[in-house]
Amino acid sequence: MKEIIMKIAAQKIQTYGLRKFTMDEIASELKMSKKTIYKHFKSKDDIILEYFKEIIESDKTYTIEAIDKAGSLEDKLNSIIFSYHKYKLPINILDEAHKFYYEEWNKIQDLKDFKLKLIETTLKDSMESGVLRDDINLTLISSILESVSNTFLDYKFLSKNNMTLKDAMNEMITILLHGILKL
């Protein structure tokens, strides 16, 4: 039952946001009383905590599995960046979490740091195996990637430039791996 409640709650969060979805909407859609929901979740905030927990856990699990299956450096980087979440995490939800749910925002930042570390390790391994040039400054690349990922987590930037997070990250990977010069 908890899983079913979370599935509907995730849909409501994605539609209305973290602060505007209601327990009444969840109960109505599931044709149950709010009392039944409260047997599984103490509060709306408890649902939000579970929402982020499941997203982060599923993302980390998927990312590690995807890296193990990926062949090329580009495939590995894409596996890290474009990972699977159990529930969708729209950019506007990230923006709302940043403003109103500080602990959950910090968990998202920890996930970002986890991914940046994986990218750094992947680049280092590629350098050691001869796929990348060995004169690349990995500290600088990591710093650039962190700055870029912070920019892409800004809903206003993506909206202003009419880009999705996926589009922005694809562009970044292309520039990182292939440069900006015509060859």
Side-chain angles (χ1 to χ4, degrees):
M1 180 57 66
K2 189 173 182 176
E3 182 69 29
I4 294 168
I5 294 168
M6 273 310 301
K7 182 179 177 186
I8 299 304
Q11 291 171 0
K12 298 300 178 192
I13 289 169
Q14 292 159 18
T15 302
Y16 301 112
L18 296 169
R19 296 182 336 139
K20 292 185 180 177
F21 83 95
T22 67
M23 300 298 262
D24 286 327
E25 292 165 341
I26 296 168
S28 175
E29 184 149 339
L30 291 172
K31 297 177 178 41
M32 65 173 59
S33 70
K34 285 196 306 186
K35 189 175 181 177
T36 304
I37 295 172
Y38 286 119
K39 287 180 184 177
H40 300 280
F41 296 97
K42 296 175 190 172
S43 65
K44 180 177 165 177
D45 284 343
D46 200 23
I47 289 176
I48 292 170
L49 290 171
E50 186 68 20
Y51 174 76
F52 281 99
K53 178 184 168 201
E54 290 187 19
I55 285 172
I56 290 166
E57 287 176 2
S58 64
D59 192 312
K60 283 183 175 181
T61 300
Y62 173 83
T63 300
I64 290 167
E65 290 171 358
I67 290 172
D68 290 341
K69 293 177 186 174
S72 70
L73 172 59
E74 196 163 356
D75 289 344
K76 288 180 182 193
L77 292 174
N78 280 322
S79 295
I80 296 167
I81 293 168
F82 303 116
S83 55
Y84 164 81
H85 305 297
K86 184 171 183 177
Y87 305 117
K88 289 182 183 177
L89 186 58
I91 196 77
N92 61 314
I93 300 299
L94 288 174
D95 190 47
E96 192 175 3
H98 182 253
K99 291 177 184 171
F100 303 107
Y101 293 91
Y102 189 72
E103 286 184 36
E104 281 61 47
W105 175 253
N106 282 336
K107 291 173 188 173
I108 294 296
Q109 292 302 304
D110 289 344
L111 176 63
K112 181 191 78 167
D113 292 342
F114 166 79
K115 288 176 170 266
L116 287 170
K117 190 69 176 164
L118 281 175
I119 289 172
E120 188 175 332
T121 301
T122 301
L123 292 173
K124 184 177 180 182
D125 292 347
S126 295
M127 187 182 289
E128 290 171 358
S129 68
V131 173
L132 286 179
R133 297 184 349 226
D134 60 1
D135 63 339
I136 304 280
N137 183 330
L138 289 180
T139 305
L140 180 61
I141 295 289
S142 295
S143 179
I144 290 168
L145 289 171
E146 182 170 9
S147 295
V148 167
S149 67
N150 286 335
T151 299
F152 292 165
L153 290 177
D154 179 1
Y155 178 69
K156 292 174 195 147
F157 171 84
L158 294 173
S159 180
K160 179 182 174 186
N161 292 290
N162 196 29
M163 298 178 88
T164 66
L165 181 58
K166 186 173 184 170
D167 292 339
M169 295 306 282
N170 272 332
E171 292 274 342
M172 188 267 308
I173 291 291
T174 299
I175 292 168
L176 178 66
L177 294 180
H178 304 289
I180 60 173
L181 294 176
K182 286 184 177 182
L183 297 177

